[in-house]
Amino acid sequence: MSVTSLDPAIAARLKRTADGLVPAVVQQHDTGEVLMLAWMDDEALHRTLTTGAATYWSRSRNEYWVKGATSGHTQRVVSVAMDCDGDTLLVRVDQEGAACHTGDRTCFDAGRLL
């Protein structure tokens, strides 16, 4: 993870994990469909807010990734909101193609538990 240019007022409101991350719930902006959960640090959030391209921190690869950079399944960011506690982000996007790495529309297609 790198030094960030995130607005200090936004950074001050974030409550991060011990690894410096905040969970980001990703939702289709017009239908409300929950697509995936990803992780952001301050720099990923800064990049997302300034470019409009959903950028996340990959915990498995230890690097930033822009959704769709290799798959073509992009996420154009419509809005980003922080919850009341500052410990979760809601990223509303216009999803092109599958959101899940398995090729499914959403990461929550694996089966209902209840």
Side-chain angles (χ1 to χ4, degrees):
M1 293 186 242
S2 67
V3 176
T4 182
S5 300
L6 183 64
D7 180 327
I10 295 171
R13 294 176 55 201
L14 286 175
K15 293 182 184 153
R16 302 159 192 81
T17 65
D19 295 333
L21 301 173
V22 177
V25 176
V26 183
Q27 181 181 47
Q28 176 64 33
H29 77 99
D30 54 354
T31 65
E33 177 183 31
V34 177
L35 300 171
M36 56 184 270
L37 174 85
W39 294 91
M40 290 184 165
D41 66 357
D42 288 18
E43 180 61 21
L45 179 55
H46 168 71
R47 292 180 189 187
T48 298
L49 294 173
T50 57
T51 67
T55 304
Y56 306 108
W57 177 255
S58 171
R59 296 179 302 163
S60 61
R61 296 187 310 263
N62 288 325
E63 65 185 14
Y64 295 102
W65 56 284
V66 176
K67 183 65 177 165
T70 56
S71 69
H73 298 167
T74 59
Q75 293 177 343
R76 181 184 58 82
V77 177
V78 173
S79 67
V80 179
M82 188 182 312
D83 77 339
C84 58
D85 295 322
D87 62 4
T88 305
L89 299 168
L90 176 62
V91 182
R92 299 185 77 218
V93 302
D94 187 16
Q95 176 70 46
E96 180 67 35
C100 189
H101 71 280
T102 64
D104 287 333
R105 168 76 182 164
T106 168
C107 292
F108 296 95
D109 282 345
R112 293 179 63 146
L113 301 178
L114 179 64

